[in-house]
Amino acid sequence: IYWYRISAYNEVATSLYSNIAGATAADGNTASYLQQAPGGASKLVNLSARAIPGQGDKALIVGFVVSGGKRTVLLRAVGPGLARYTTETTMPDPLLTVQAGNVTIWQNDNWGGGDTLTAAFSQLGAFSIPSNSEDAALLADFDPRDDTVLITGAGSGLAMAEIYDADVTTTLSGKLLNLSARAQTGTGDGVLIVGFVITGSKSLRVLLRAAGPSLAALGVPGVLADPQLDLFRGSLQLDHNDDWRGAATISAAFEPAGALRWSDLGSKDAAIVASLPPGPYTAIISGVRAGTGVALAEVYALP
């Protein structure tokens, strides 16, 4: 996955940089992966979240929901492996912890370059990482439930959490229904960037949310007071939302998506409902007027 900003210039002046946009190029394997969903049934298969994790409530936390049966999932926490894609400082040694409720069920520090994981990276279109790197990864079967992945570690810098639906043979009946990422959201390269991939042959209706003020009601400190949400496909901006303002179309999508209802219809949280054809997408969560704080990005597949 690549991120970039654009600046236009001529002999008179140079423009400000654009918002950050992203695209998935994954070592040439992405195109084949996008075509693997059979029978025209479109679905979510991948989420990546890039941020600068902090400590405690500012940690990078991603979540996913498996519905309908078991599903094989590949999880990665990439820090050093991002170095060739950015000039920013990267997290030197991320630790990946999977929790179901308050119970830790899996944990990985250094992925170790194993053949099984290496083959999964290639098959799923995940960009390669050095076999001796201190990035973290694991491949496991998940029961239908809500799981939480914490990306922590000593040192500061950019890190990326990734969730891949790894059951490309469709031998298991489950599917990924909801993907989310919570992190400290800064400015510039410190904004929260979320990528997701839709496979299949038809458009998939999705609900995207950028929660800030609504997190405060759940006891989360230091939230992003006024998040804005921008949706891209490659460099093309598809949609933008600042304040959702209780829009009926958006509010009606909360219950079928299984999303927590926002009680304050006038809150400054942001949300988008869109019907998207198969492909990779990028959602950027940033603060209005360069605000900073903890934000939650959510991607829901709608029935």
Side-chain angles (χ1 to χ4, degrees), residues 5 12 17 33 38 54 62 88 99 124 130 134 165 172 201 203 209 228 245 257 278 289 293-294:
R5 294 184 292 172
V12 177
Y17 277 104
Y33 181 48
V62 297
E88 297 296 315
Q99 293 183 328
L124 299 175
E134 294 185 311
D165 180 348
L172 299 179
S201 61
S203 292
R209 305 203 304 184
Q228 57 186 343
R245 300 185 185 280
R289 293 181 294 278
V294 176

Side-chain angles (χ1 to χ4, degrees), residues 9-302:
Y9 66 92
N10 58 22
E11 66 277 5
V12 177
T14 300
S15 74
L16 296 175
Y17 277 104
S18 68
N19 285 330
I20 298 172
T24 304
D27 295 342
N29 294 317
T30 301
S32 61
Y33 181 48
L34 293 178
Q35 298 168 4
Q36 288 172 358
S42 295
K43 59 180 182 178
L44 290 171
V45 295
N46 163 236
L47 177 133
S48 62
R50 197 200 77 164
I52 301 176
Q55 301 297 319
D57 290 310
K58 296 182 179 180
L60 174 54
I61 303 171
V62 297
F64 61 98
V65 176
V66 173
S67 176
K70 283 182 177 291
R71 203 72 186 167
T72 305
V73 177
L74 169 67
L75 303 173
R76 305 205 307 179
V78 186
L82 292 176
R84 59 176 167 159
Y85 302 118
T86 180
T87 58
E88 297 296 315
T89 300
T90 60
M91 177 175 274
D93 188 5
L95 174 67
L96 188 157
T97 303
V98 183
Q99 293 183 328
N102 294 321
V103 179
T104 296
I105 55 175
W106 282 294
Q107 192 171 70
N108 180 259
D109 187 0
N110 303 328
W111 76 286
D115 291 342
T116 300
L117 284 171
T118 300
F121 298 172
S122 177
Q123 182 182 36
L124 299 175
F127 64 89
S128 61
I129 51 180
S131 60
N132 61 349
S133 77
E134 294 185 311
D135 302 295
L138 61 87
L139 182 70
D141 289 345
F142 286 82
D143 293 320
R145 63 176 180 234
D146 297 5
D147 287 285
T148 301
V149 183
L150 283 71
I151 311 303
T152 56
S156 179
L158 286 174
M160 184 162 69
E162 296 178 297
I163 303 170
Y164 291 88
D165 180 348
D167 186 38
V168 296
T169 63
T170 70
T171 57
L172 299 179
S173 59
K175 62 180 179 179
L176 292 180
L177 194 64
N178 157 232
L179 305 165
S180 65
R182 197 189 88 177
Q184 174 71 13
T185 303
T187 59
D189 288 322
V191 299
L192 176 55
I193 303 176
V194 173
F196 61 97
V197 176
I198 296 171
T199 63
S201 61
K202 300 177 182 179
S203 292
L204 180 67
R205 193 162 171 260
V206 298
L207 167 65
L208 309 176
R209 305 203 304 184
S214 64
L215 293 180
L218 301 176
V220 178
V223 302
L224 183 61
D226 191 0
Q228 57 186 343
L229 174 61
D230 292 282
L231 175 64
F232 291 86
R233 180 162 185 172
S235 60
L236 176 64
Q237 184 169 2
L238 303 178
D239 209 339
H240 166 86
N241 182 257
D242 181 3
D243 302 334
W244 78 293
R245 300 185 185 280
T249 302
I250 294 173
S251 182
F254 290 178
E255 183 174 348
L260 179 68
R261 181 164 294 278
W262 289 343
S263 58
D264 183 1
L265 300 185
S267 76
K268 290 185 174 294
D269 301 293
I272 292 170
V273 172
S275 183
L276 302 176
Y281 295 89
T282 303
I284 299 175
I285 292 83
S286 59
V288 174
R289 293 181 294 278
T292 63
V294 176
L296 174 68
E298 298 173 295
V299 184
Y300 294 91
L302 291 169

